[in-house]
Amino acid sequence: MKILLFLFFTVLINSVIWTITVPMWHTPDEQSHFAQLEYYVEQKTLIIDDQYNLSAEIAQSEQLLGTRRDNRGNNKFTYHPEYKLPASRSFEGIYERTINSYPISQRSQMVDREAAMYSPVYYLLAAPLYLQGYNLGLIDRLFVSRILSILVHVILAVVVYIFGRKLWGGTVLPVSLVVLVSLQPMISFVAAGFHPDNLLFLLYTLAILISLLIIRNGVRWSYLLLLAITVYLGWQTKIFMGFLFPTIVALLLHQFLYSRSKLLALIVGMGTLLVPILVLIIQLPLPFVPLVSNTSPLRNYSLFEYLKFRVPKMAFEVWPWYWGVFKWLGVVLPLPVLRVITRVTLLIIVGMTIWAGKNIFKRPVPFTTRATLFLILVSVTYVAYLLVWDWRNMQVAGFSVGIQGRYLLPAVAAH
């Protein structure tokens, strides 16, 4: 118990240090997410204006701090690691007094488009914190709102520990898993800021944990209810939660059919995993699915051409970003560190392949083997769905919206 308390305290302190160290608007798209929170609270509505959803105070603060984006989505920091603001020679930040002195009237004065336009759950959870610091300046309100990310990050550590206990038992491996997940640099960076990805990481991990319980104990109504609630809350946080839904359905169908016909269970389960890809390829009109029309700028851009473009970027751009990309895409982990990580990962892939060859045909199949195969499936299908979704999105938008390394982190516990 002392080890666990020390572990969770360490995760908490790590998260607090990151939070107070990372400057305002320097975590991924933080100004967009705080703009959405501020809009909800100040306008007292969940219906956001498409064109005017950025307050005057946030716009002015971004201008001072160099994070105001141009029409191509770049600011003074983007791809410029050498750029930095002058340091203050006192305890007070160089623009702190100015930013914290904006009048309350500027919070409801909308001047531009910036809000993230995400689903509302994370922002509703943050609203009480925002209101708690309502009479404070902009910087103080942001850091008060960041407390939600700290809390969610610590809860993620608890869920990951339970995840490890259910998978392996004992203490050493579950504690190791918490360290690998909670102290992962990019996760720590995202958790330092105000961002709904933190809640998505937690809910995605919780849904995978419940799936492991189903693999271990069979289908129960309590598990189905918890899964339904978790997936729904995840969907109302970020649509990427939908990438796990087909895998869960495939698991449930496999569980129901396995006792009747192992071959049928395998065919139905694998067929279910192909449904999202087919939906995107044949263009079924479903919510949040990009629909390519005759007016789409890249309607003739084939999946093959897209993969030729995207796969190299996944290997040489997204892979380093997965481990940590800071200062508005300007700084990654040192190259020697990334080389070590890459070589270890290749060794892991070889080891996992040998392990699968030895264990997949064992009868009866042990729980750890079934669980590990499921986690591999979660990881692979997530990337497959993300790529096909991004391809269609690119056709509709006319340009590459881009895949960032943190987009892969919802499945980090499985990784």
Side-chain angles (χ1 to χ4, degrees), residues 295-310:
T295 59
S296 298
L298 293 177
R299 61 185 179 278
N300 296 321
Y301 191 58
S302 70
L303 180 58
F304 178 73
E305 290 175 303
Y306 167 79
L307 291 175
K308 281 173 58 179
F309 158 78
R310 179 59 70 196

Side-chain angles (χ1 to χ4, degrees), residues 145-166:
S145 300
R146 280 183 175 187
I147 292 173
L148 175 61
S149 296
I150 295 174
L151 295 175
V152 170
H153 187 61
V154 174
I155 296 171
L156 173 65
V158 175
V159 172
V160 167
Y161 176 75
I162 298 171
F163 187 113
R165 287 279 294 182
K166 297 299 180 184

Side-chain angles (χ1 to χ4, degrees), residues 354-411:
I354 295 171
W355 171 87
K358 287 182 176 180
N359 290 276
I360 197 167
F361 296 111
K362 282 186 178 179
R363 294 295 182 269
V365 183
F367 163 71
T368 306
T369 301
R370 288 180 286 132
T372 305
L373 291 172
F374 175 74
L375 297 179
I376 293 172
L377 206 58
V378 166
S379 305
V380 172
T381 54
Y382 183 96
V383 173
Y385 301 154
L386 179 64
L387 288 174
V388 180
W389 179 84
D390 183 60
W391 164 55
R392 286 304 194 190
N393 209 34
M394 189 171 171
Q395 287 180 302
V396 173
F399 58 91
S400 172
V401 178
I403 294 178
Q404 294 194 29
R406 63 186 168 86
Y407 291 179
L408 306 179
L409 288 173

Side-chain angles (χ1 to χ4, degrees), residues 186-220:
M186 194 62 197
I187 287 186
S188 296
F189 184 47
V190 176
F194 183 78
H195 203 296
D197 273 9
N198 295 300
L199 184 58
L200 179 66
F201 299 161
L202 171 60
L203 293 171
Y204 214 96
T205 303
L206 183 58
I208 296 173
L209 170 59
I210 299 168
S211 300
L212 292 182
L213 293 176
I214 290 174
I215 293 172
R216 184 172 189 169
N217 304 322
V219 179
R220 297 178 182 175

